[in-house]
Each structure stands twice: as structure tokens, then as C-alpha cells.
């Protein structure tokens, strides 16, 4: 998506450890007009999938998921993060290991907010190693719901998350795929 790529080029900065800092518009301060365009684009990409729930994970996925949900007219459910495996039996849970942060955490969703037969679209701001997306995918499956797709704002194409999800047959749409980045250049993958 050209608009997002241009925003990354003009406002993003590359930090050591292959981190792309986009907190001036995506995950600290929020550019709501841009987020609205991302939401609209997710709707265009998944419009035919009869989505009934959008699932994300706190914190940074929530804003993007909400903008998308306004177009789908469905609720957003965000998985909460905790550090205890024991969050009760009324929740679906998954363990997520973050390579970026070097820690693992539990994500959980109340059984009240995800139903068997739901058509679920997972949305998140970043896809790096894909551990968060895989955790959410497990929760969708545990609920007996259907994973219709995964929508990501920025995929880091040089990490394995996107490749792994595509190999699992997941309909993955990333609005910008960064194939490489250095202090002074960011290269995007051409649209497929
Ligand atoms: P994975 O889920 O794809 O495996 O990613 P990983 O564990 O490596 O990333 C952990 C956290 O770091 C995630 O946020 C993810 O969005 C974020 N992240 C990964 N790469 C980048 C990057 O290049 N730039 C930025 N800005 N963030 C990155 P999180 O821990 O879930 O945090 P939050 O949603 O509460 O902000």
C-alpha cells in the first residue's frame, strides 16, 4: 500500500536489532487518517470473507483493528496479555514467545467473546516472527471458529513469520512488507 510505504519512508526510523520505529504514527502517537485508510484497505482485501469478529492483541493492534471494524461492522476482540498460565477455565489461552523482547507471555480471550462458527480476521500492527499471530490462530481454532485471514500493517519480510503463516495456508495480507532495512534505506517488496 503506497500510502503506508510513503509514511514509513518519511516518518519511520531504523533502530539497531532490526527494529523499525514507527511510533510517531502507528503505535504510540496515532495518525487516525492513515489508520482509517488502513482499515478501509483491510475491508477491501477481506470483504468477501464474511467476517464476524476481528481479533487482535493488546496493545498496538487495537487501534488498527477498530478502524477496520467500522467497515466490517463487527466487534473487535483483543486478546489480553498476562504472565500467568492459569487464567481460569473461562478463557482460551496461548503461550507466545517474543523473540524481539526475549520473553514469553500468555494471551487469553474470554470464551464469551469468540464463538464456534465465527469467521475471524486477525489484525495486528507488526508481523516479525509470527508468534503472536500463531498464538491467536490457536485461540481461534480452540474456539471452533474459522480463521479467514490475517491482516498486518507492517510485515518484516526478512523474518520468518510471514513465510510460516503462508506455508500453513493462511490468507495473509500485509499492507507493507519491508524486505530489508539499514540506517539510511528501507526496501519494500513489490505487491504480489
Ligand atoms: P512476533 O509476534 O511476530 O513473533 O513478533 P515479536 O515477538 O518478535 O515482537 C514482539 C513485539 O515487538 C510485538 O509487539 C511486535 O509488534 C513488536 N515488534 C516486532 N518488530 C518490531 C519492529 O520492527 N518495530 C516495532 N515498533 N515493533 C516491533 P508487542 O510486544 O505485542 O507490543 P505492543 O503491541 O504492546 O506494542
Amino acid at each position: 500500500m503506497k500510502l503506508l510505504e510513503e509514511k514509513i519512508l518519511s516518518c519511520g526510523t531504523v533502530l539497531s536489532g532490526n527494529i523499525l520505529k514507527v511510533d510517531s504514527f502507528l503505535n504510540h502517537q496515532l495518525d487516525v487518517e492513515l489508520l482509517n485508510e488502513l482499515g478501509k484497505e483491510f475491508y477491501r482485501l477481506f470483504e468477501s470473507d464474511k467476517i464476524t469478529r476481528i481479533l487482535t492483541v493488546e496493545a498496538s493492534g487495537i487501534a488498527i483493528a477498530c478502524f477496520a471494524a467500522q467497515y466490517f461492522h463487527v466487534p473487535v476482540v483483543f486478546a489480553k496479555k498476562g504472565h500467568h498460565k492459569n487464567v481460569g477455565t473461562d478463557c482460551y489461552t496461548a503461550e507466545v514467545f517474543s523473540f524481539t523482547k526475549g520473553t514469553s507471555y500468555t494471551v487469553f480471550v474470554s470464551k464469551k467473546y469468540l464463538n464456534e462458527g465465527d469467521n475471524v480476521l486477525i489484525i495486528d500492527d507488526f508481523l516479525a516472527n509470527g508468534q503472536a499471530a500463531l498464538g491467536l490462530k490457536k485461540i481461534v481454532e480452540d474456539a471452533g471458529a474459522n480463521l479467514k485471514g490475517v491482516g498486518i500493517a507492517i510485515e518484516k519480510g526478512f523474518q520468518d513469520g510471514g513465510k510460516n503463516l503462508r506455508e500453513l495456508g493462511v490468507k495473509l495480507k500485509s499492507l507493507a512488507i519491508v524486505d530489508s532495512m539499514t540506517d539510511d534505506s528501507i526496501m519494500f517488496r513489490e505487491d504480489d
Side-chain angles (χ1 to χ4, degrees):
M1 187 188 186
K2 272 279 161 283
L3 185 67
L4 178 58
E5 292 180 358
E6 282 164 9
K7 189 75 178 180
I8 294 168
L9 289 175
S10 61
C11 300
T13 49
V14 178
L15 303 184
S16 62
N18 273 331
I19 295 293
L20 178 62
K21 194 169 166 68
V22 287
D23 64 357
S24 65
F25 63 95
L26 194 65
N27 51 22
H28 193 12
Q29 175 170 262
L30 301 173
D31 179 336
V32 295
E33 280 159 16
L34 175 72
L35 293 191
N36 186 44
E37 293 304 316
L38 304 190
K40 203 186 290 180
E41 181 66 0
F42 283 130
Y43 182 66
R44 189 183 72 77
L45 293 167
F46 293 99
E47 190 181 359
S48 61
D49 290 298
K50 298 188 168 55
I51 301 302
T52 60
R53 286 268 190 302
I54 292 180
L55 179 64
T56 186
V57 57
E58 64 178 358
S60 309
I62 297 174
I64 306 173
C66 288
F67 278 95
Q70 293 194 111
Y71 291 94
F72 288 93
H73 299 285
V74 301
V76 171
V77 178
F78 62 93
K80 298 193 173 203
K81 290 178 182 168
H83 292 287
H84 302 293
K85 288 188 180 151
N86 188 2
V87 291
T89 54
D90 56 346
C91 291
Y92 300 110
T93 65
E95 279 303 296
V96 174
F97 179 74
S98 167
F99 288 97
T100 304
K101 298 189 172 167
T103 54
S104 52
Y105 54 92
T106 304
V107 286
F108 58 97
V109 172
S110 166
K111 290 183 178 172
K112 279 191 288 194
Y113 303 128
L114 207 48
N115 302 319
E116 190 176 346
D118 261 331
N119 291 332
V120 179
L121 171 62
I122 292 173
I123 285 188
D124 211 349
D125 59 338
F126 267 96
L127 180 66
N129 297 291
Q131 298 303 303
L134 288 173
L136 295 179
K137 176 175 180 292
K138 173 190 178 289
I139 285 176
V140 171
E141 289 163 356
D142 287 352
N146 310 307
L147 178 60
K148 301 301 275 190
V150 176
I152 297 292
I154 304 175
E155 175 182 336
K156 297 202 290 185
F158 51 87
Q159 292 180 257
D160 283 341
K163 181 171 156 284
N164 292 342
L165 285 173
R166 291 184 181 94
E167 279 174 8
L168 289 170
V170 172
K171 176 178 173 182
L172 168 63
K173 298 289 177 185
S174 301
L175 304 187
I177 303 181
V178 176
D179 261 342
S180 65
M181 55 189 198
T182 62
D183 284 352
D184 49 16
S185 85
I186 298 174
M187 303 297 292
F188 295 102
R189 192 173 301 174
E190 296 295 321
D191 289 345
D192 53 11

